[in-house]
Protein backbone atom coordinates (compact mmCIF):
# COMPACT_ATOMS: atom_id res chain seq x y z
CA UNK A 1 0.00 0.00 0.00
CA UNK A 2 1.25 3.49 -0.83
CA UNK A 3 0.97 5.88 2.13
CA UNK A 4 0.10 9.36 0.89
CA UNK A 5 1.35 12.51 2.64
CA UNK A 6 -1.46 15.02 3.08
CA UNK A 7 -1.20 18.71 3.92
CA UNK A 8 -3.24 20.44 6.63
CA UNK A 9 -5.44 22.43 4.22
CA UNK A 10 -9.23 21.88 4.20
CA UNK A 11 -9.26 19.82 0.97
CA UNK A 12 -6.69 17.41 2.38
CA UNK A 13 -8.48 17.17 5.74
CA UNK A 14 -11.68 16.25 3.87
CA UNK A 15 -9.69 13.52 2.13
CA UNK A 16 -8.30 12.26 5.44
CA UNK A 17 -11.79 12.20 6.98
CA UNK A 18 -13.16 10.26 3.98
CA UNK A 19 -10.40 7.68 4.31
CA UNK A 20 -11.38 7.22 7.97
CA UNK A 21 -15.13 6.89 7.31
CA UNK A 22 -14.29 4.19 4.72
CA UNK A 23 -12.37 2.14 7.30
CA UNK A 24 -8.87 3.48 6.60
CA UNK A 25 -6.08 4.31 9.04
CA UNK A 26 -4.50 7.79 8.95
CA UNK A 27 -1.60 9.39 10.84
CA UNK A 28 -2.94 12.60 12.40
CA UNK A 29 -1.18 15.41 14.30
CA UNK A 30 -2.37 16.26 17.81
CA UNK A 31 -1.04 18.73 20.38
CA UNK A 32 0.70 15.87 22.24
CA UNK A 33 2.12 13.43 19.65
CA UNK A 34 0.93 12.09 16.29
CA UNK A 35 -1.88 9.53 16.49
CA UNK A 36 -2.85 6.60 14.26
CA UNK A 37 -6.53 7.30 13.71
CA UNK A 38 -9.43 5.08 12.61
CA UNK A 39 -13.19 4.94 13.23
CA UNK A 40 -13.39 3.73 16.86
CA UNK A 41 -16.77 2.07 16.24
CA UNK A 42 -15.48 -0.01 13.29
CA UNK A 43 -13.76 -3.17 14.61
CA UNK A 44 -12.21 -4.01 11.22
CA UNK A 45 -10.58 -0.58 10.96
CA UNK A 46 -9.42 -0.72 14.60
CA UNK A 47 -7.85 -4.13 14.01
CA UNK A 48 -5.70 -2.53 11.31
CA UNK A 49 -4.34 -0.04 13.88
CA UNK A 50 -3.21 -2.93 16.12
CA UNK A 51 -1.61 -4.67 13.11
CA UNK A 52 0.19 -1.56 11.83
CA UNK A 53 1.69 -0.87 15.27
CA UNK A 54 2.31 -4.49 16.25
CA UNK A 55 0.40 -3.63 19.43
CA UNK A 56 -0.68 -6.25 21.99
CA UNK A 57 -4.46 -6.79 21.81
CA UNK A 58 -4.95 -6.12 25.53
CA UNK A 59 -3.67 -2.52 25.32
CA UNK A 60 -6.75 -0.27 24.87
CA UNK A 61 -6.99 2.68 22.48
CA UNK A 62 -8.04 6.21 23.45
CA UNK A 63 -11.22 7.49 21.78
CA UNK A 64 -11.00 11.09 20.53
CA UNK A 65 -14.13 13.24 20.35
CA UNK A 66 -14.79 16.82 19.20
CA UNK A 67 -16.41 17.88 22.48
CA UNK A 68 -16.81 16.36 25.95
CA UNK A 69 -20.60 16.62 25.60
CA UNK A 70 -20.32 13.72 23.09
CA UNK A 71 -18.83 11.43 25.76
CA UNK A 72 -22.26 10.27 26.95
CA UNK A 73 -22.81 8.53 23.59
CA UNK A 74 -19.96 6.13 24.35
CA UNK A 75 -20.06 5.74 28.13
CA UNK A 76 -22.52 4.24 30.62
CA UNK A 77 -22.08 6.88 33.33
CA UNK A 78 -20.04 10.03 33.85
CA UNK A 79 -19.25 11.15 37.41
CA UNK A 80 -19.78 14.82 38.29
CA UNK A 81 -16.04 15.17 38.95
CA UNK A 82 -15.28 14.13 35.35
CA UNK A 83 -17.45 16.99 34.10
CA UNK A 84 -15.64 19.48 36.34
CA UNK A 85 -12.26 18.23 35.13
CA UNK A 86 -13.35 18.31 31.48
CA UNK A 87 -14.69 21.83 31.92
CA UNK A 88 -11.23 22.97 32.99
CA UNK A 89 -8.88 20.86 30.84
CA UNK A 90 -10.76 19.80 27.68
CA UNK A 91 -9.92 20.32 24.91
CA UNK A 92 -6.31 19.55 25.78
CA UNK A 93 -3.72 16.90 26.64
CA UNK A 94 -5.90 14.85 29.01
CA UNK A 95 -7.61 11.44 28.75
CA UNK A 96 -10.35 10.46 31.21
CA UNK A 97 -11.08 6.74 31.67
CA UNK A 98 -14.84 6.12 32.03
CA UNK A 99 -17.14 3.06 32.01
CA UNK A 100 -17.92 2.34 28.36
CA UNK A 101 -21.21 1.37 26.72
CA UNK A 102 -21.85 -1.08 23.87
CA UNK A 103 -21.09 1.42 21.08
CA UNK A 104 -17.35 0.99 21.65
CA UNK A 105 -16.28 -2.45 20.38
CA UNK A 106 -14.22 -4.68 22.71
CA UNK A 107 -11.25 -4.58 20.32
CA UNK A 108 -11.05 -0.77 20.76
CA UNK A 109 -11.05 -0.99 24.57
CA UNK A 110 -8.57 -3.90 24.65
CA UNK A 111 -11.24 -6.11 26.25
CA UNK A 112 -11.81 -3.68 29.17
CA UNK A 113 -15.22 -2.37 30.21
CA UNK A 114 -13.85 1.19 30.30
CA UNK A 115 -12.83 3.64 27.59
CA UNK A 116 -10.34 6.52 27.65
CA UNK A 117 -11.96 9.69 26.28
CA UNK A 118 -9.83 12.57 24.98
CA UNK A 119 -10.84 15.88 23.42
CA UNK A 120 -7.80 17.04 21.43
CA UNK A 121 -7.20 20.76 21.00
CA UNK A 122 -5.14 20.48 17.81
CA UNK A 123 -7.00 22.16 14.93
CA UNK A 124 -6.23 19.36 12.45
CA UNK A 125 -7.32 16.46 14.68
CA UNK A 126 -10.39 18.42 15.77
CA UNK A 127 -11.40 19.17 12.17
CA UNK A 128 -10.91 15.55 11.04
CA UNK A 129 -13.18 14.35 13.87
CA UNK A 130 -15.83 16.90 12.83
CA UNK A 131 -15.58 16.09 9.12
CA UNK A 132 -15.66 12.31 9.59
CA UNK A 133 -18.45 12.39 12.18
CA UNK A 134 -16.74 9.38 13.85
CA UNK A 135 -15.27 8.88 17.29
CA UNK A 136 -11.59 8.42 16.37
CA UNK A 137 -9.54 5.71 18.07
CA UNK A 138 -5.91 6.81 18.03
CA UNK A 139 -2.87 5.42 19.79
CA UNK A 140 0.46 7.15 19.29
CA UNK A 141 1.52 6.55 15.67
CA UNK A 142 4.78 4.71 16.43
CA UNK A 143 5.61 1.05 16.00
CA UNK A 144 4.87 -0.52 19.41
CA UNK A 145 7.81 -0.04 21.79
CA UNK A 146 9.47 2.81 19.85
CA UNK A 147 9.40 6.50 20.88
CA UNK A 148 6.15 8.28 19.96
CA UNK A 149 6.24 10.38 16.78
CA UNK A 150 6.26 14.16 17.06
CA UNK A 151 6.42 14.91 13.32
CA UNK A 152 4.84 13.56 10.12
CA UNK A 153 8.21 12.21 8.98
CA UNK A 154 8.51 10.09 12.16
CA UNK A 155 5.09 8.60 11.34
CA UNK A 156 6.24 7.88 7.78
CA UNK A 157 9.41 6.23 9.13
CA UNK A 158 7.30 3.76 11.15
CA UNK A 159 4.12 3.42 9.09
CA UNK A 160 4.90 3.90 5.36
CA UNK A 161 3.28 1.08 3.40
CA UNK A 162 0.99 0.08 6.30
CA UNK A 163 -1.61 2.88 6.41
CA UNK A 164 -3.49 5.00 3.88
CA UNK A 165 -2.15 8.48 4.71
CA UNK A 166 -0.31 10.81 7.08
CA UNK A 167 -1.44 14.41 7.58
CA UNK A 168 1.46 16.82 8.11
CA UNK A 169 0.60 19.29 10.87
CA UNK A 170 4.17 20.24 11.82
CA UNK A 171 6.03 19.48 15.03
CA UNK A 172 3.85 18.42 18.02
CA UNK A 173 3.55 21.14 20.64
CA UNK A 174 3.75 19.21 23.95
CA UNK A 175 5.83 16.26 22.71
CA UNK A 176 4.66 13.67 25.27
CA UNK A 177 1.33 11.86 25.26
CA UNK A 178 -1.74 12.99 27.22
CA UNK A 179 -2.16 12.61 30.97
CA UNK A 180 -4.40 9.55 31.53
CA UNK A 181 -6.61 9.61 34.64
CA UNK A 182 -9.33 7.47 36.18
CA UNK A 183 -11.93 8.78 38.62
CA UNK A 184 -11.55 7.13 42.04
CA UNK A 185 -14.52 8.68 43.88
CA UNK A 186 -16.48 11.94 44.01
CA UNK A 187 -13.43 14.01 44.87
CA UNK A 188 -10.29 12.18 43.75
CA UNK A 189 -8.60 10.89 40.63
CA UNK A 190 -5.66 8.61 39.89
CA UNK A 191 -3.00 9.49 37.33
CA UNK A 192 -2.34 6.35 35.27
CA UNK A 193 0.09 8.06 32.89
CA UNK A 194 1.57 11.52 33.59
CA UNK A 195 1.50 14.22 30.91
CA UNK A 196 1.26 17.98 30.55
CA UNK A 197 -1.89 18.25 32.67
CA UNK A 198 0.00 17.83 35.94
CA UNK A 199 -0.97 16.63 39.41
CA UNK A 200 -0.73 20.25 40.63
CA UNK A 201 -3.14 21.39 37.90
CA UNK A 202 -5.62 18.59 38.68
CA UNK A 203 -5.52 19.52 42.38
CA UNK A 204 -7.20 22.81 41.41
CA UNK A 205 -10.42 20.80 40.81
CA UNK A 206 -9.87 17.56 42.75
CA UNK A 207 -9.60 16.96 46.51
CA UNK A 208 -6.90 14.35 45.96
CA UNK A 209 -4.77 13.19 43.04
CA UNK A 210 -3.10 9.79 43.41
CA UNK A 211 0.00 8.98 41.38
CA UNK A 212 -0.31 5.34 40.34
CA UNK A 213 2.58 3.19 41.60
CA UNK A 214 3.35 1.92 38.06
CA UNK A 215 4.35 5.44 36.92
CA UNK A 216 7.73 5.26 38.63
CA UNK A 217 8.09 1.58 39.45
CA UNK A 218 8.49 -1.58 37.47
CA UNK A 219 5.56 -3.98 37.85
CA UNK A 220 6.42 -7.15 39.68
CA UNK A 221 5.50 -10.57 38.30
CA UNK A 222 1.77 -11.20 38.75
CA UNK A 223 0.88 -7.52 39.40
CA UNK A 224 -1.77 -6.06 37.09
CA UNK A 225 -1.46 -2.54 35.69
CA UNK A 226 -4.36 -0.09 36.09
CA UNK A 227 -3.29 1.14 32.65
CA UNK A 228 -2.22 -1.80 30.48
CA UNK A 229 0.30 0.35 28.56
CA UNK A 230 2.40 0.67 31.72
CA UNK A 231 3.36 -2.98 31.71
CA UNK A 232 5.19 -2.89 28.39
CA UNK A 233 8.75 -1.75 27.69
CA UNK A 234 8.23 1.49 25.90
CA UNK A 235 9.59 4.59 24.26
CA UNK A 236 12.87 2.83 23.60
CA UNK A 237 15.25 3.71 20.84
CA UNK A 238 17.52 0.94 19.55
CA UNK A 239 20.36 2.30 21.69
CA UNK A 240 20.76 1.13 25.26
CA UNK A 241 19.51 4.00 27.46
CA UNK A 242 20.86 4.57 30.98
CA UNK A 243 19.40 7.29 33.17
CA UNK A 244 21.89 9.06 35.45
CA UNK A 245 20.71 11.22 38.35
CA UNK A 246 23.13 13.87 39.54
CA UNK A 247 24.51 17.33 38.80
CA UNK A 248 26.45 17.94 35.60
CA UNK A 249 29.88 17.63 37.20
CA UNK A 250 29.14 14.24 38.78
CA UNK A 251 27.43 13.18 35.53
CA UNK A 252 30.53 14.14 33.51
CA UNK A 253 32.80 12.33 35.95
CA UNK A 254 30.62 9.20 35.74
CA UNK A 255 30.28 8.95 31.95
CA UNK A 256 34.05 9.54 31.46
CA UNK A 257 34.61 5.87 32.34
CA UNK A 258 32.41 4.68 29.48
CA UNK A 259 33.61 6.79 26.58
CA UNK A 260 34.05 4.74 23.44
CA UNK A 261 32.60 4.91 19.94
CA UNK A 262 28.80 4.86 19.78
CA UNK A 263 28.38 6.31 23.29
CA UNK A 264 26.39 9.54 23.56
CA UNK A 265 25.03 11.66 26.37
CA UNK A 266 21.67 13.43 26.39
CA UNK A 267 22.09 16.47 28.61
CA UNK A 268 20.38 19.79 29.39
CA UNK A 269 20.98 22.76 27.05
CA UNK A 270 22.59 24.66 29.91
CA UNK A 271 25.11 21.80 30.48
CA UNK A 272 26.51 21.89 26.97
CA UNK A 273 29.19 24.60 27.21
CA UNK A 274 31.56 22.62 29.39
CA UNK A 275 30.66 19.04 28.45
CA UNK A 276 33.68 17.42 26.76
CA UNK A 277 32.09 14.30 25.20
CA UNK A 278 29.66 13.54 22.35
CA UNK A 279 26.20 14.77 23.27
CA UNK A 280 22.78 15.97 22.24
CA UNK A 281 20.66 18.28 24.38
CA UNK A 282 16.95 18.09 25.21
CA UNK A 283 16.09 21.50 26.66
CA UNK A 284 16.60 23.08 30.04
CA UNK A 285 13.20 22.97 31.74
CA UNK A 286 10.55 20.25 31.94
CA UNK A 287 8.29 21.63 29.18
CA UNK A 288 11.22 21.90 26.76
CA UNK A 289 12.38 18.41 27.73
CA UNK A 290 8.88 17.03 27.06
CA UNK A 291 8.87 18.77 23.70
CA UNK A 292 12.24 17.43 22.55
CA UNK A 293 12.63 14.04 24.25
CA UNK A 294 11.12 11.68 21.66
CA UNK A 295 12.65 13.58 18.76
CA UNK A 296 16.09 13.29 20.31
CA UNK A 297 15.67 9.56 21.03
CA UNK A 298 14.90 9.02 17.33
CA UNK A 299 17.83 11.22 16.25
CA UNK A 300 20.20 9.26 18.49
CA UNK A 301 19.18 6.10 16.64
CA UNK A 302 19.76 7.80 13.30
CA UNK A 303 23.30 8.73 14.31
CA UNK A 304 23.92 5.08 15.20
CA UNK A 305 24.26 5.59 18.97
CA UNK A 306 24.81 2.28 20.77
CA UNK A 307 24.54 3.57 24.33
CA UNK A 308 23.02 6.80 25.64
CA UNK A 309 23.55 8.24 29.12
CA UNK A 310 20.69 10.60 29.88
CA UNK A 311 21.03 13.29 32.53
CA UNK A 312 17.81 12.59 34.45
CA UNK A 313 15.11 15.27 34.37
CA UNK A 314 13.39 16.70 37.44
CA UNK A 315 10.31 14.66 38.34
CA UNK A 316 8.25 17.70 39.42
CA UNK A 317 5.28 19.04 37.44
CA UNK A 318 5.54 18.20 33.73
CA UNK A 319 8.92 16.65 34.60
CA UNK A 320 7.08 13.59 35.96
CA UNK A 321 5.93 12.81 32.39
CA UNK A 322 9.47 13.13 31.04
CA UNK A 323 10.88 11.05 33.90
CA UNK A 324 8.21 8.36 33.39
CA UNK A 325 9.00 8.00 29.65
CA UNK A 326 12.76 7.96 30.25
CA UNK A 327 12.70 5.42 33.05
CA UNK A 328 10.84 3.08 30.67
CA UNK A 329 13.17 3.85 27.76
CA UNK A 330 15.96 2.88 30.18
CA UNK A 331 14.20 -0.35 31.21
CA UNK A 332 14.35 1.03 34.81
CA UNK A 333 18.15 1.25 34.74
CA UNK A 334 18.89 4.32 36.88
CA UNK A 335 22.29 5.32 38.28
CA UNK A 336 21.96 7.59 41.32
CA UNK A 337 25.17 9.54 41.96
O1 LIG B 1 -1.69 12.00 23.70
C1 LIG B 1 -2.16 10.87 23.56
O2 LIG B 1 -2.81 10.31 24.45
C2 LIG B 1 -1.93 10.18 22.21
C3 LIG B 1 -2.63 11.01 21.14
C4 LIG B 1 -2.57 10.37 19.78
O3 LIG B 1 -3.94 11.27 21.53
N1 LIG B 1 -2.40 8.83 22.26
C5 LIG B 1 -1.75 7.86 22.96
O4 LIG B 1 -2.32 6.62 22.86
O5 LIG B 1 -0.75 8.08 23.60
P1 LIG B 1 -1.54 5.28 23.27
O6 LIG B 1 -2.45 4.19 22.86
O7 LIG B 1 -0.20 5.28 22.68
O8 LIG B 1 -1.50 5.33 24.83
C6 LIG B 1 -2.70 5.21 25.56
C7 LIG B 1 -2.41 4.80 26.97
C8 LIG B 1 -1.95 3.36 27.06
O9 LIG B 1 -0.95 3.27 28.04
C9 LIG B 1 -3.21 2.62 27.47
O10 LIG B 1 -2.91 1.46 28.20
C10 LIG B 1 -3.93 3.68 28.31
O11 LIG B 1 -3.63 4.91 27.71
N2 LIG B 1 -5.38 3.48 28.26
C11 LIG B 1 -6.21 3.64 27.20
N3 LIG B 1 -7.46 3.29 27.50
C12 LIG B 1 -7.45 2.92 28.81
C13 LIG B 1 -8.44 2.41 29.72
N4 LIG B 1 -9.69 2.23 29.34
N5 LIG B 1 -8.03 2.11 30.98
C14 LIG B 1 -6.75 2.28 31.37
N6 LIG B 1 -5.78 2.74 30.55
C15 LIG B 1 -6.11 3.04 29.29
MG1 LIG C 1 1.78 4.95 22.72
Amino acid sequence: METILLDDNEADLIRAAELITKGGVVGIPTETVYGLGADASNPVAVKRIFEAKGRPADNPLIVHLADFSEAKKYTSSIPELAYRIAEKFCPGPLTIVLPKNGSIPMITSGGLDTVGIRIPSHRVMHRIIELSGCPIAAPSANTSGLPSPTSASHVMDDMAGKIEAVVDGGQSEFGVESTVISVENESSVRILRPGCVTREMLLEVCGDVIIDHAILHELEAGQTAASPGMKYKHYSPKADVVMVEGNISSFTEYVKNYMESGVYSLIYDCDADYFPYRYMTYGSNSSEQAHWLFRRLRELDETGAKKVFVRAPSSDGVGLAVYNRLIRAAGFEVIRL
Side-chain angles (χ1 to χ4, degrees):
M1 170 187 303
E2 196 205 337
T3 303
I4 53 173
L5 185 62
L6 296 173
D7 209 338
D8 62 357
N9 59 48
E10 181 72 3
D12 277 13
L13 300 191
I14 291 171
R15 210 159 152 207
E18 278 169 3
L19 288 168
I20 287 174
T21 49
K22 288 186 187 138
V25 179
V26 178
I28 309 174
T30 86
E31 68 278 20
T32 55
V33 299
Y34 275 67
L36 209 53
D39 177 354
S41 60
N42 177 345
V44 180
V46 169
K47 183 155 183 271
R48 290 196 45 223
I49 295 182
F50 281 90
E51 286 165 358
K53 277 183 71 83
R55 181 176 176 108
D58 67 352
N59 197 358
L61 306 184
I62 293 170
V63 172
H64 299 70
L65 306 174
D67 192 276
F68 195 74
S69 61
E70 306 264 304
K72 41 183 183 303
K73 289 194 206 159
Y74 308 101
T75 55
S76 58
S77 66
I78 303 181
E80 191 46 45
L81 180 58
Y83 280 109
R84 290 210 305 277
I85 292 167
E87 173 85 12
K88 194 154 175 86
F89 300 110
C90 297
L94 179 72
T95 298
I96 309 177
V97 173
L98 295 166
K100 79 177 192 100
N101 70 21
S103 57
I104 298 295
M106 272 301 178
I107 184 170
T108 305
S109 62
L112 298 178
D113 53 11
T114 55
V115 60
I117 299 285
R118 170 154 131 72
I119 319 300
S121 62
H122 196 288
R123 179 188 68 84
V124 169
M125 179 55 140
H126 191 266
R127 188 71 185 134
I128 292 175
I129 299 169
E130 274 182 347
L131 288 167
S132 68
C134 307
I136 294 188
S140 51
N142 51 289
T143 299
S144 242
L146 293 187
S148 295
T150 54
S151 72
S153 70
H154 295 166
V155 182
M156 277 293 185
D157 288 345
D158 285 15
M159 294 296 151
K162 298 179 176 173
I163 62 174
E164 277 76 5
V166 178
V167 182
D168 191 346
Q171 171 81 19
S172 308
E173 178 191 348
F174 291 111
V176 291
E177 309 86 340
S178 62
T179 305
V180 179
I181 60 168
S182 61
V183 180
E184 292 280 293
N185 56 42
E186 60 283 358
S187 65
S188 63
V189 297
R190 175 181 294 268
I191 299 184
L192 304 178
R193 179 179 69 182
C196 289
V197 172
T198 62
R199 173 168 192 269
E200 294 72 17
M201 289 159 74
L202 287 163
L203 278 169
E204 291 170 24
V205 240
C206 305
D208 193 16
V209 178
I210 302 157
I211 306 275
D212 195 75
H213 185 75
I215 285 175
L216 292 176
H217 303 93
E218 196 166 14
L219 283 180
E220 284 165 31
Q223 271 185 322
T224 51
S227 179
M230 285 293 161
K231 73 181 176 213
Y232 297 108
K233 185 169 179 185
H234 235 130
Y235 315 115
S236 326
K238 295 182 198 87
D240 178 27
V241 175
V242 181
M243 193 146 88
V244 182
E245 279 185 7
N247 59 33
I248 187 60
S249 42
S250 55
F251 179 93
T252 310
E253 202 47 39
Y254 178 80
V255 301
K256 180 170 92 188
N257 306 312
Y258 297 91
M259 280 308 139
E260 51 188 73
S261 71
V263 176
Y264 281 76
S265 294
L266 186 62
I267 56 177
Y268 302 1
D269 287 5
C270 52
D271 297 337
D273 283 351
Y274 306 102
F275 191 72
Y277 308 113
R278 249 189 322 263
Y279 68 87
M280 286 191 192
T281 65
Y282 74 125
S284 280
N285 60 49
S286 298
S287 300
E288 288 173 10
Q289 290 174 341
H291 180 81
W292 292 110
L293 176 66
F294 288 142
R295 183 176 200 102
R296 291 294 182 256
L297 292 180
R298 282 180 179 254
E299 287 168 354
L300 283 158
D301 270 350
E302 280 162 24
T303 61
K306 302 264 175 311
K307 195 176 185 83
V308 181
F309 292 101
V310 182
R311 186 162 171 235
S314 150
S315 56
D316 294 335
V318 173
L320 185 63
V322 183
Y323 196 100
N324 164 267
R325 304 318 188 266
L326 269 169
I327 204 173
R328 282 179 164 67
F332 291 89
E333 192 177 349
V334 185
I335 310 291
R336 296 191 168 88
L337 300 175

